[in-house]
Each structure stands twice: as C-alpha cells, then as structure tokens.
Amino acid sequence: MLLNMHDYNHQNGTHRPLFKIEEVQFEKFIDNGHQSHAFYDMPTARTSFREKISNPDLMLLPKVLKAHLENYFPSLIIFHGETAFGKVAQCHLFIPEYQMRTRTYVLMFGQAKHPAFKVLGNKFLNFARVVVEQDADILGKIYPNTPQKIKLNNEVGMDWVRRNFASFPETVEPNFSK
Ligand SMILES: [Fe+2]
C-alpha cells in the first residue's frame, strides 16, 4: 500500500479515468529521512463541452494538477493541491490492522477562494473516496514482491519507502533528494 501511495507513475494509469491525467511531470524530491516532500505536475486532457455536461465534476479540474506531497513514513501523507476555487489539503492516514489489512482515513481541509468552493465541498470529498477505492482495487494486481527490472525517474518515492521499510524504526542517512 505504501509503494502504491508513493508511486508517482500510477496516477496516469489508475486514476486516469477520474482526473483525465495525461502524464506525470516529476519535479523534485526532498528526502529528510522519515519525512519527505515530492513535487510533480499532472497535465489533464482537454474535456469537450459534452463531456462536461455529462460529468460536471470534470469542470473542477485545472489544466495542470499541481501536486505537493508531504510524507511522514509510515502513517501519513498530506496532498497539497490548488484549484481555481481554493486550496485543499488532503490528509491520508494509514492504520495497520492485520498483516493483510490497513485502514485508511482521509481528512480534507479546504480554504475557499471562491464561494462556489463551499458548495463543491462534497464533490472534493467524493474525489477522495473514488481515489481510495481505485487504489484499493489495484493493490492486489500490481506490486508483487518480485525484483525490479526497469527503473523510471519517478520511482524515487518507492525507493524512499523501501529504504525506510527496511530500516524502520531507525533512520538512515537521507540519500534520495533530487
Ligand atoms: Fe493512487
């Protein structure tokens, strides 16, 4: 689950139908040991007027979704996002229950720039719900414990998870900033 949450490549696959993400442009990773920051941009596909009418949620999406993840290994990720209507901070909390079961809580905070934001609050909550459902659905299908063959530039978050998982609760010298 942590590999998935820190896999900055999966958004344009797993969450593509929801956000219409075309690609992930990785920008920066700051490694502070058990705490880290990741910054990346996700340009979204253009939506036609017809698509917007049939799925009004798409109107909430900016042309580029700018993401800043503030990570606290192993139990908290804060997604900081900005839209035309306001700022959101989406806090994902992970509580291990059994070996094969983790409970997730999502707390959302919003700062409105526009009165519409208050009305749209539930829409943003709904995005969070669908994101969690999509992630839960793919967990069993990917990330098998097999050695990796190809390495992508965006995988620094997964490397950060593997390193911390192996050494936890000790902190090792941070070496993934880029
Ligand atoms: Fe995801």
Side-chain angles (χ1 to χ4, degrees):
M1 191 212 61
L2 289 172
L3 284 173
N4 169 250
M5 293 304 297
H6 294 278
D7 175 358
Y8 309 138
N9 290 303
H10 85 282
Q11 284 88 349
N12 51 346
T14 312
H15 306 305
R16 192 192 169 94
L18 181 63
F19 297 114
K20 306 199 69 160
I21 293 161
E22 295 209 297
E23 59 169 326
V24 178
Q25 294 165 352
F26 189 77
E27 217 178 281
K28 194 165 62 165
F29 191 83
I30 303 167
D31 181 7
N32 296 322
H34 286 165
Q35 190 245 27
S36 68
H37 296 271
F39 299 86
Y40 50 88
D41 293 342
M42 296 172 284
T44 56
R46 290 174 65 97
T47 46
S48 67
F49 184 68
R50 243 176 75 185
E51 279 178 292
K52 282 181 179 151
I53 293 300
S54 63
N55 183 5
D57 287 4
L58 291 174
M59 283 190 238
L60 297 176
L61 298 178
K63 282 198 181 75
V64 177
L65 272 167
K66 282 182 117 27
H68 164 204
L69 298 186
E70 187 183 343
N71 311 306
Y72 297 87
F73 186 89
S75 51
L76 173 66
I77 297 176
I78 307 170
F79 171 93
H80 299 275
E82 208 159 346
T83 76
F85 303 104
K87 273 187 182 174
V88 284
Q90 205 180 84
C91 309
H92 290 256
L93 294 125
F94 315 118
I95 317 292
E97 289 192 332
Y98 300 109
Q99 197 170 9
M100 300 302 285
R101 191 160 104 190
T102 296
R103 189 174 289 271
T104 299
Y105 294 92
V106 182
L107 281 173
M108 275 185 89
F109 296 87
Q111 200 173 50
K113 270 195 221 158
H114 190 280
F117 194 79
K118 291 207 170 100
V119 185
L120 298 169
N122 277 338
K123 293 278 176 206
F124 284 100
L125 272 178
N126 196 47
F127 273 134
R129 184 180 63 82
V130 178
V131 163
V132 171
E133 282 170 3
Q134 289 177 337
D135 282 329
D137 182 57
I138 59 155
L139 283 187
K141 299 171 189 163
I142 54 170
Y143 311 108
N145 293 317
T146 46
Q148 228 180 333
K149 290 196 183 99
I150 321 162
K151 208 158 164 63
L152 299 161
N153 179 44
N154 305 2
E155 287 186 5
V156 62
M158 293 165 84
D159 290 340
W160 179 78
V161 165
R162 286 192 191 96
R163 180 199 69 199
N164 290 341
F165 195 83
S167 59
F168 196 78
E170 304 297 321
T171 314
V172 291
E173 187 72 22
N175 55 345
F176 288 123
S177 293
K178 62 196 230 178

